[in-house]
Amino acid sequence: MNGGHHSNRFSRSPYAVLNLPPSSGENNQPISDDKVRDSYKRLSRLLHPDKRPPGKEREDAQEIFIELQHAYETLVDPALRQAYDHYGHYAVAHVRNNKYQADSLYRCLTSLHDDGKPSEALELLQIVLEDTERKKRQKEWEFNADVEVNMHPCNPEEAASGSFMEWAEVSSTNVSLTASVPMPPQTNASPFPAQSSGGNQSQAAARRRQKMQLSIGGQSSLENGMGSTRGIISANYQPVAHTNVSSDLTVGHKHIESSVSSSTQLANGTGLSAKMTRQYELGSNKEGNLAFGFSSQRNLTMFHGRNVHAMFALGVGSNLKMNYGVLSLTTWGFNIADQNESDSPPPRINAKITIGSPFPIQCSVDQPHLFGASHRSGRASVAWSPLQGYKLKGVMSRKIMKTCDFHESEFPSNLDIEVEHTGLSGLKWLIRYERPEGLTIRIPIFVSSFLSPVYWNKVLWVSTLSFLLDETIEELMGHSTSKSETKAGDTNIHKTISTKIRTNQNEQQWLGSSKAKRDAERQLSIIAPIAKMKRQREESINGLVILKATYASVSSLPSGTIPNTALDVTEQLQFWVEQSRLYLPPSSKSLLLGFYDLIGSKVNRVGDTANDISPLSEFTHRWICIMNIWLSRLGVGVEDAAYQKDYTDNGGSNESVVLTVRYKYKGGVFEVRIGDDDVLELPSSDSTILGSSDLVS
């Protein structure tokens, strides 16, 4: 068996493998390590592969024993047990990965548990798993949503005299949505004959490196009661590393625009890109306008110890008339000598000359680690225009992330508070919020015209308000971080992670798969001889003997319950008998050795033909799932609702599973029926007496 596929190898609950109650025992107390060890030692003596003859029987016993060892290692380790209790086998495999490295997640969690900080360990695990899921989703799909709401005064005369909060209203809105996913890989066999094996391997490696992505989106705007929309579809292709080719098609109410672009990065770090665009006017016989664009960027060493990032761009029309031109130079600040003595990086200085822009000359200074905080940054810029004069802008940015004392999330939200002054238009206040899922909300608020007599008072007031708002957010973040400790039984912290839902569904699908059924049959072949010896021992002392046990799914109909699928589990239950007592924990019996999920197996029989699904159908299904997941992130709908609907449509809501047991004890024959998630203790006072063992079998 391949040791690298833990999530596929170990899909049964470790509690069920060791026949222990799930995650808590009596009085809602955790299962003690002593009970875990006792159960492991007892089962390992019975199921050890060295007691089996060489061949297939020993190999089957080896698989069961490895699963038994994994269950024991998971439950006796506090870090692994906590990971499984909250997020399943997926989290256990993630924590065990590179566990012996000095900076591994396992060692961090173990250290916290040793210090008596299980809540902090759970919080750290939550952040790491959320980041892992986001990385996985980013490889599969990308979603961007930009919402811009412009607020202006409804009457300029009122703007000059009153508070802007009294007269400001929404004047225009812009909404942009874009979703992109990779195209399904081509699986058709090549019609050409095979060449040399070395050539085939290199061609296969090249095909794996090729990536194609399809994006579909649109933009909608509303200004002064007039609206417009346009749709966008684009395809991006990466033939080799560091080279991209893309094609875009934009369809609006009056225009259609198509473009083809290509970008690459050379070995010396120089980036090159070229773009060709053609625009057509609907309902016109005129030939479309054609435009070309070219840009280049690279790092330059202009003097000792100083790297400058240079960018040049040029755009021309088909008549060779220049539409725009950009020259940008960016370098780090001039305090390199003090950089080794301080953790704060130097400021970044940028100078840009743009031809064809309203502000052709721009200069800016960016300061990371503003006020000594790594999650805060600031920017100040000045631009000059021969028509509009100067434009001054100040921005304070911060990252809002889930964090604990030992780890920070790699996917923070960003909040920008900006104040902008322009000679002609006046004062504008802008708030921008960006979520890691791709949602961006931008709200520019026009505050005052430059001609207002109290203009500079409002500049001072808005600037002070922006600073106080940023400091208030800083205090709130620090306050919430200091009180980030949660109670051990608090489950609210886990509701934001889709990993737990996905893991539980994957485990249920595994339990209902044909592989789980085959594994249950192999396990039965191993435990049946042990069950036979236990039956003989119990009969000799007139103890607990399982006569007949049936694990069946039934349909609830008005006329009663009708069995659909049944599994004989007589030998499985006799195997768990110890000293004339039988105990099965209050969890699904499908998780026990020798069992499998009866309802899930029927549902998954339809899915066994998944390999026959066309790439287009699979691609469409992925799109639907992606949109459903993203909407659930915004609080609309429930995540994985489509999967729940599919399960219900296959009859899951109308079926239940019961366990019926007929047993012999102390000369009497009894029968009991329980639900799948109920506890089973035999002998039981709730059992129905059928008669003497001499008369009833």
Side-chain angles (χ1 to χ4, degrees), residues 148-177:
E148 180 177 355
V149 180
N150 290 280
M151 301 185 69
H152 287 266
C154 54
N155 191 334
E157 296 180 357
E158 296 177 6
S161 58
S163 172
F164 81 95
M165 290 299 182
E166 299 178 359
W167 43 257
E169 69 171 15
V170 176
S171 62
S172 64
T173 59
N174 298 285
V175 179
S176 175
L177 300 175

Side-chain angles (χ1 to χ4, degrees), residues 311 313 325-329 350-355 359-362:
M311 193 272 287
V326 179
L327 176 61
S328 173
L329 300 175
N350 174 267
K352 182 186 293 185
I353 300 176
T354 306
I355 300 175
F359 293 90
I361 300 177
Q362 302 180 37

Side-chain angles (χ1 to χ4, degrees), residues 625-646:
C625 295
I626 285 170
M627 296 299 296
N628 184 53
I629 292 172
W630 187 88
L631 290 174
S632 68
R633 294 292 185 275
L634 299 179
V636 180
V638 180
E639 186 173 350
D640 294 326
Y643 296 107
Q644 297 293 338
K645 183 179 184 299
D646 291 341

Side-chain angles (χ1 to χ4, degrees), residues 176-178 215-219 230-234 248-251:
S176 175
L177 300 175
T178 305
S215 300
I216 300 177
Q219 293 181 349
R230 60 176 182 169
I232 304 172
I233 182 171
S234 64
D248 303 328
L249 177 64
T250 303
V251 181

Side-chain angles (χ1 to χ4, degrees), residues 82-83 86-87 90-91 94-95 105 109 112 118-134 402-404 407-411 484 486 490-500:
Q82 186 183 61
H86 294 286
Y87 307 118
Y90 170 82
H94 193 82
V95 173
L105 174 61
L109 296 175
L112 291 174
S119 298
E120 288 83 348
L122 184 58
E123 189 175 1
L124 171 60
L125 179 62
Q126 177 199 18
I127 295 174
V128 172
L129 291 180
E130 283 185 334
D131 288 351
T132 302
E133 283 299 302
R134 286 195 177 103
K402 288 191 175 181
T403 180
C404 60
H407 185 77
E408 290 184 350
S409 173
E410 301 178 19
F411 298 90
S484 60
T486 57
D490 187 6
T491 58
N492 292 332
I493 191 174
H494 319 302
K495 292 182 179 180
T496 58
I497 302 182
S498 61
T499 308
K500 181 177 181 180

Side-chain angles (χ1 to χ4, degrees), residues 411-466:
F411 298 90
S413 300
N414 295 315
L415 176 65
D416 297 342
I417 301 176
E418 177 181 327
V419 179
E420 178 184 306
H421 157 74
T422 307
L424 290 182
S425 59
L427 181 63
K428 184 182 293 185
W429 191 35
L430 185 143
I431 299 176
R432 181 178 179 271
Y433 180 65
E434 181 181 1
R435 292 279 302 170
E437 293 85 358
L439 174 65
T440 302
I441 300 177
R442 187 172 180 267
I443 305 178
I445 304 175
F446 183 83
V447 179
S448 177
S449 170
F450 184 65
L451 300 178
S452 172
V454 292
Y455 178 77
W456 293 109
N457 292 338
K458 291 185 178 181
V459 171
L460 179 61
W461 182 79
V462 171
S463 301
T464 304
L465 177 63
S466 301

Side-chain angles (χ1 to χ4, degrees), residues 238-245 261-274 294-298:
Q238 185 178 0
V240 294
H242 308 297
T243 300
N244 289 280
V245 180
S261 61
S262 176
S263 62
T264 186
Q265 184 175 358
L266 304 181
N268 61 359
T270 301
L272 301 175
S273 64
F294 172 79
S295 66
S296 172
Q297 54 183 342
R298 64 168 302 174

